[in-house]
Amino acid sequence: MILKLVKYHVINSRTMHSVPSGSYCGYDGNRASKDTIGFWKAANIILVNQGLASVSFFGVNLTLVMLLTRVLDQDSATAANTVTNWIGTSYLFSFVGAFMSDSYFGRYLTCIIFQLTFVLPVGCGDLESPCVQPSSVGVATFYLSMYLVALGYGGYQPTIATFGADQFNELDPEEKDSKDVFFIVPKRSFFNCALNFGCLLSGTVIVFLMDTGHWTFGFMISMGSAIIGTILFWLGKHRYRYFLPSGNPLTRIAQVFVASLRKWTIDLPSNGDGLYEMEGESAIKGSRKILHSNEFGFLDRAATVNERDNLCGQNSINPWRLCTVTQVEEVKCLLKMLPIWLCTIIYSVIYTQTDTLFVEQGEVMSTRTPFFHLKLPAASMSVFNIISVLIFTFVYGRCVPFIARFTRNPDGLTELQRIVGASEVFMHVGLLDFFNSQAPDGIKSLGSSLFTSSISLGNFLSSFLVRMVMIITTGKGSSGWIPVDLNKGHLERFYFLIVVLTAIDFVIYICRN
């Protein structure tokens, strides 16, 4: 089964494009030399921006369940569901950002717009000083602010990842190696490290402030990080490489399916011979042409020419009847990635517990350390996860040469093999790298949004599971598996339920791939 994963390829975007990469330009819209823009001079600004944005988002994310239970007086299950619904909504907004980026605004302007969207009580909620009941206006303002943060971070996250990758030309050997260092775990994955260092700062400084009741001060630090990150990102505008947006991908996808249905009864040419493709540059603006593949052959009908198609001039072709091979292959790429995407949703159910039930468990644990009698805030438990990610990333990088001897892969493991690996170190980064590398040029941000949307659906599924568990396990004198007082519940049974679902999902992933 594992050997099968080595040979699995959705699309190799490095070899299947028939023409060089789409041209990039400078801030003024004109073509510019690669020596003056892009590369590390631009990537370093993006890394700092990613770190500061992570401080802002996770400063809210890591402490939200504490605020809901201590300040808004929600019970454990309700607070957990409120957080997972909020996180799910945050990453669901990634589709909005990806759509605007690929279709109209481009990646830079999309990042700026959604970062600007980034832009409560004090002295209570510290486990000793209970808060008074907040007003309905205060609660409404709180939820409005939280979902503005969700909109900003969700729309920004998939676009900034793709924009960072844009700064490196993968056809240039030197820049290709640097892109791997920027993005891929075996090399270093500076992008992932920047995110985790931002989480580390949030899980220590901001969490300690909020745990002592200084909610407003903690949120001000989060807001300040977002403001500084946005300003630095804007100041670097003359250093970036820009790619033109490729138009509405949803329209192109719909055209392929409509054109295929219209020609459902015609015979397909063998091996893709005679399928329609424009001469010269790709019909998809700013995108490379993609060679024909044999999968999902029924979609090839959209590019099959018949007597009703008018080929007298390019402007007279009806795209709802006849599509190019590149346009058809773009849709095929999305369809090939969907099984991987579906198999990662259950993993996100597990991962979201670190922001909800794990924190609530920490609230009823003794978190005082034997060193200096220091008491760790419950939300700071996430720091151990962040540190382990940074350590295992370093260890795996050192083990790559040894692993490569057996796999004959210079990266040690393929993206798909890493997705069945050691949780966040391999799963999150491997999945982001997989979707970014396999998505065609015209839907790069949409490809990255598949990663964040799997997190979104995992959070919504977690909310559904918690709700169902509480409905089934409460009643007849029972307080359920996840009661207000966790010491009276059976949280371990809920975790065993997730383990069973994950085992089933793992088997499906291995068999499918």
Side-chain angles (χ1 to χ4, degrees):
M1 290 295 187
I2 296 297
L3 180 61
K4 191 176 181 181
L5 285 175
V6 177
K7 298 179 180 179
Y8 184 94
H9 294 285
V10 172
I11 174 175
N12 189 333
S13 60
R14 299 177 178 87
T15 61
M16 292 192 69
H17 292 85
S18 57
V19 295
S21 173
S23 59
Y24 51 78
C25 56
Y27 180 72
D28 58 2
N30 298 320
R31 284 187 59 82
S33 169
K34 73 171 188 176
D35 297 327
T36 59
I37 59 175
F39 206 43
W40 282 113
K41 64 175 69 72
N44 286 330
I45 300 174
I46 293 173
L47 289 174
V48 173
N49 175 259
Q50 169 70 351
L52 290 171
S54 298
V55 171
S56 178
F57 179 75
F58 289 100
V60 176
N61 182 38
L62 295 176
T63 57
L64 186 55
V65 74
M66 292 195 312
L67 187 144
L68 292 171
T69 54
R70 296 187 192 177
V71 180
L72 299 187
D73 199 29
Q74 293 187 359
D75 59 67
S76 300
T78 302
N81 279 355
T82 300
V83 173
T84 50
N85 288 334
W86 177 75
I87 297 174
T89 304
S90 298
Y91 288 109
L92 192 62
F93 281 132
S94 64
F95 277 127
V96 179
F99 174 77
M100 302 308 295
S101 171
D102 287 335
S103 305
Y104 306 112
F105 295 155
R107 297 192 249 283
Y108 170 76
L109 186 57
T110 301
C111 287
I112 285 291
I113 290 172
F114 282 98
Q115 282 188 85
L116 289 175
T117 314
F118 266 140
V119 204
L120 293 161
V122 181
C124 66
D126 59 356
L127 291 180
E128 295 179 0
S129 305
C131 293
V132 297
Q133 188 68 27
S135 66
S136 57
V137 174
V139 173
T141 303
F142 166 74
Y143 277 106
L144 174 62
S145 302
M146 290 299 97
Y147 279 91
L148 282 176
V149 172
L151 173 62
Y153 189 78
Y156 152 89
Q157 191 58 32
T159 309
I160 195 65
T162 309
F163 191 58
D166 285 346
Q167 307 311 310
F168 303 93
N169 182 359
E170 62 184 19
L171 301 180
D172 183 302
E174 179 186 0
E175 295 200 14
K176 168 63 171 61
D177 289 340
S178 295
K179 180 180 178 181
D180 290 346
V181 170
F182 178 86
F183 221 55
I184 302 177
V185 160
K187 303 300 175 90
R188 282 190 184 88
S189 186
F190 285 163
F191 185 81
N192 189 58
C193 287
L195 187 150
N196 277 289
F197 276 118
C199 293
L200 189 63
L201 181 59
S202 299
T204 52
V205 177
I206 295 179
V207 166
F208 270 95
L209 284 170
M210 293 189 176
D211 189 63
T212 56
H214 296 85
W215 302 100
T216 301
F217 192 26
F219 284 128
M220 286 177 64
I221 294 178
S222 294
M223 181 180 68
S225 297
I227 292 173
I228 295 172
T230 303
I231 292 174
L232 290 177
F233 184 75
W234 175 77
L235 290 175
K237 60 185 178 181
H238 294 291
R239 295 179 178 267
Y240 305 131
R241 294 175 181 174
Y242 300 86
F243 287 82
L244 296 175
S246 300
N248 189 338
L250 300 182
T251 300
R252 296 198 302 271
I253 293 170
Q255 287 171 344
V256 170
F257 284 105
V258 171
S260 299
L261 290 173
R262 281 184 166 183
K263 299 179 179 179
W264 195 256
T265 59
I266 69 173
D267 295 328
L268 287 172
S270 59
N271 299 321
D273 295 333
L275 296 180
Y276 174 68
E277 181 60 275
M278 286 184 61
E279 296 182 1
E281 295 184 356
S282 169
I284 302 174
K285 182 172 58 176
S287 176
R288 292 171 283 185
K289 289 183 178 179
I290 309 176
L291 300 180
H292 175 262
S293 65
N294 294 321
E295 294 88 351
F296 301 105
F298 65 92
L299 293 177
D300 289 340
R301 289 185 172 87
T304 303
V305 181
N306 66 7
E307 66 279 358
R308 297 186 60 183
D309 295 316
N310 184 359
L311 297 181
C312 296
Q314 301 290 355
N315 294 329
S316 62
I317 295 174
N318 181 359
W320 295 94
R321 284 197 57 84
L322 182 64
C323 304
T324 64
V325 171
T326 295
Q327 188 175 344
V328 172
E329 291 300 318
E330 184 180 68
V331 176
K332 288 183 181 181
C333 291
L334 276 177
L335 294 178
K336 293 171 187 176
M337 289 189 289
L338 286 181
I340 307 297
W341 175 72
L342 290 171
C343 286
T344 60
I345 294 173
I346 290 294
Y347 169 80
S348 297
V349 174
I350 302 172
Y351 192 77
T352 194
Q353 307 310 319
T354 61
D355 299 324
T356 55
L357 294 181
F358 284 13
V359 177
E360 293 185 15
Q361 280 183 274
E363 293 275 57
V364 296
M365 290 170 55
S366 174
T367 58
R368 194 170 299 278
T369 67
F371 311 104
F372 310 109
H373 298 287
L374 178 66
K375 185 180 184 300
L376 292 178
S380 288
M381 297 298 185
S382 63
V383 169
F384 296 104
N385 172 56
I386 297 167
I387 293 174
S388 68
V389 167
L390 294 173
I391 291 175
F392 278 113
T393 300
F394 175 81
V395 170
Y396 177 60
R398 292 296 181 269
C399 294
V400 164
F402 175 76
I403 299 173
R405 295 179 185 177
F406 299 94
T407 63
R408 297 182 181 179
N409 184 321
D411 291 334
L413 299 172
T414 67
E415 294 101 331
L416 294 179
Q417 286 174 325
R418 278 183 268 145
I419 294 172
V420 301
S423 194
E424 185 179 356
V425 177
F426 297 124
M427 167 63 185
H428 271 180
V429 184
L431 193 62
L432 180 59
D433 181 37
F434 174 78
F435 284 139
N436 185 268
S437 64
Q438 304 302 323
D441 295 331
I443 52 172
K444 282 290 186 184
S445 294
L446 184 60
S448 295
S449 72
L450 288 177
F451 162 69
T452 51
S453 63
S454 73
I455 300 176
S456 171
L457 293 179
N459 278 271
F460 288 131
L461 180 56
S462 177
S463 294
F464 174 78
L465 288 175
V466 169
R467 191 174 295 110
M468 290 298 100
V469 162
M470 289 303 293
I471 291 174
I472 295 171
T473 61
T474 54
K476 296 182 179 180
S478 173
S479 56
W481 289 2
I482 315 174
V484 175
D485 184 355
L486 292 181
N487 290 317
K488 298 179 180 178
H490 291 282
L491 204 55
E492 76 283 357
R493 296 178 184 176
F494 178 71
Y495 291 151
F496 279 127
L497 172 63
I498 296 177
V499 168
V500 172
L501 294 175
T502 306
I504 296 172
D505 182 61
F506 178 74
V507 172
I508 294 173
Y509 178 83
I510 293 295
C511 294
R512 173 61 183 83
N513 302 318

